[in-house]
Amino acid sequence: NVLARNGAKFGGSDLLEAFLRNGLKFGDMNIFHRIVPASKEVRFSVASAVEPGTFDLSAIEAFRTPGVSFFMQMPGPDDPLEVFEDMLAVTRDVAASLGADLKDERQSVMTSQTIAHCRTRIEDFSRKRMSQRA
């Protein structure tokens, strides 16, 4: 999650600029996605942190939200750790460009320890999945 500080809200135009700079595309479910051009595979997605989570491009200049949530589905990509690293890089860039905080799924600060725990969870999930296939 990338969350605005001190009760502030992000402007839609600022979000759009940050998303496009990072190669995210507006698409299904009216949210943004990292898409592999050749296969059209969705690697990860971004939704507004406020219900219903969608973005209205026709009114993006008036859009305001206190945060955005980045997520990937598992099982999903063949290389989930690589996708996580890409998603993490994008969240860091978006947070830095908006002067925002990077938080985990419990709204706690995303520390290096939290990131390491996420990597371990992804590796464990992948390992279990591979053993089920064998």
Side-chain angles (χ1 to χ4, degrees):
N1 296 297
V2 175
L3 301 176
R5 294 180 179 143
N6 303 321
K9 292 189 177 186
F10 302 132
S13 298
D14 294 334
L15 283 170
L16 181 62
E17 180 181 321
F19 292 166
L20 296 178
R21 183 180 64 251
N22 280 284
L24 301 176
K25 306 286 185 206
F26 184 74
D28 289 348
M29 300 178 289
N30 293 326
I31 61 176
F32 287 84
H33 309 276
R34 165 76 85 218
I35 298 173
V36 178
S39 66
K40 305 293 185 215
E41 172 192 20
V42 172
R43 308 281 280 184
F44 63 86
S45 302
V46 187
S48 173
V50 177
E51 291 290 336
T54 59
F55 300 93
D56 179 358
L57 287 187
S58 68
I60 200 71
E61 290 179 10
F63 181 78
R64 300 282 179 270
T65 185
V68 291
S69 297
F70 287 72
F71 60 95
M72 58 186 271
Q73 292 188 341
M74 302 225 359
D78 290 336
D79 48 1
L81 202 52
E82 180 181 307
V83 173
F84 175 75
E85 297 298 336
D86 180 30
M87 184 172 67
L88 182 60
V90 172
T91 61
R92 285 176 167 158
D93 180 79
V94 170
S97 69
L98 298 173
D101 293 321
L102 186 56
K103 305 274 182 116
D104 68 12
E105 68 271 14
R106 292 183 197 96
Q107 308 301 319
S108 297
V109 174
M110 193 82 160
T111 64
S112 56
Q113 183 178 4
T114 309
I115 292 167
H117 179 68
C118 289
R119 289 179 180 129
T120 300
R121 286 174 38 204
I122 291 168
E123 289 169 344
D124 289 348
F125 181 89
S126 296
R127 221 181 339 271
K128 286 178 189 173
R129 188 126 161 93
M130 287 178 71
S131 68
Q132 290 173 348
R133 289 181 187 169

